[in-house]
Amino acid sequence: NILADDAEALRDQVWVGASDQPTWMRGGSYLVARKIAMLIESWDRVRLEEQERIIGRGKGAGAALSTDTDDEFAAPDFAAKGGAGAPRIDVASHVRLAHPEMNAGTRLLRRGFNYVDGNNDLGRLSAGLFFLSYQRSPEQFIEIQRALSTDLLNEYIRHVGSGIWAIPPGAEAGSYIGASLLA
């Protein structure tokens, strides 16, 4: 994920650049919001080792399966092999498919918020993730979603709704938000 103090990554990946089109979006960003339902009852029946393989991280500390530490911020090593010669991080794991290394360096400024809305009409838990991402171009999000099409996690999630918004640049002194669009 991009950190708020990483000005270079924000400039390259989040803010619409001076040479980008349309001109009224320069200095703005695109927001994707997505509600993702988790099939909790199915997921909870999966063994811990399988859950970790699907995600590509240890459930306890969140460290990538390619490391021997509990450091969740240690970079995953997608070339690391296990005892039987198989990759330590499954090639179809969520962490691998979404990682910038597997997506031509594309990064998103993303935030996830867990939700629980009681039970659905079938009596199952209505819970999951409300996902937000900001990116310089909608194509960044689309390309990562294409990569995630073979994600092992897909068996346990359902996309409930999605939207994309153009967020224009902030207002200059004496002006207003959206002035570059309406001028």
Side-chain angles (χ1 to χ4, degrees), residues 72-85:
E72 72 174 298
F73 300 107
D77 178 0
F78 299 114
K81 304 286 185 201

Side-chain angles (χ1 to χ4, degrees), residues 22-106:
T23 57
W24 63 269
M25 274 299 292
R26 292 176 181 165
S29 187
Y30 291 91
L31 165 66
V32 171
R34 179 168 264 194
K35 186 175 182 182
I36 305 167
M38 183 79 183
L39 306 177
I40 301 291
E41 292 83 0
S42 297
W43 179 253
D44 281 349
R45 286 192 292 271
V46 175
R47 289 183 356 262
L48 174 62
E49 296 80 16
E50 181 67 5
Q51 288 181 356
E52 291 177 335
R53 184 180 74 83
I54 289 167
I55 299 297
R57 293 187 173 278
K59 198 168 183 178
L65 295 180
S66 60
T67 69
D68 292 322
T69 72
D70 285 340
D71 181 4
E72 72 174 298
F73 300 107
D77 178 0
F78 299 114
K81 304 286 185 201
R88 290 181 72 180
I89 297 177
D90 194 292
V91 296
S93 70
H94 185 75
V95 113
R96 184 179 190 278
L97 293 174
H99 197 275
E101 192 175 309
M102 302 299 153
N103 290 288
T106 298

Side-chain angles (χ1 to χ4, degrees), residues 10 17 47 76 86 91 115 121-122 126 135-137 152 157 162:
L10 291 169
R47 289 183 356 262
V91 296
Y115 74 87
D121 294 339
L122 299 174
S126 178
Q135 49 276 312
R136 183 176 181 159
S137 165
L152 293 169
I157 61 174
S162 296

Side-chain angles (χ1 to χ4, degrees), residues 4 8 24 27-28 33 61 65 80 83 97 106 118 128 132 134 141 153-154 162 171:
E8 182 180 347
W24 63 269
L65 295 180
L97 293 174
T106 298
L132 302 173
Y134 295 86
F141 180 81
L153 187 59
N154 288 339
S162 296

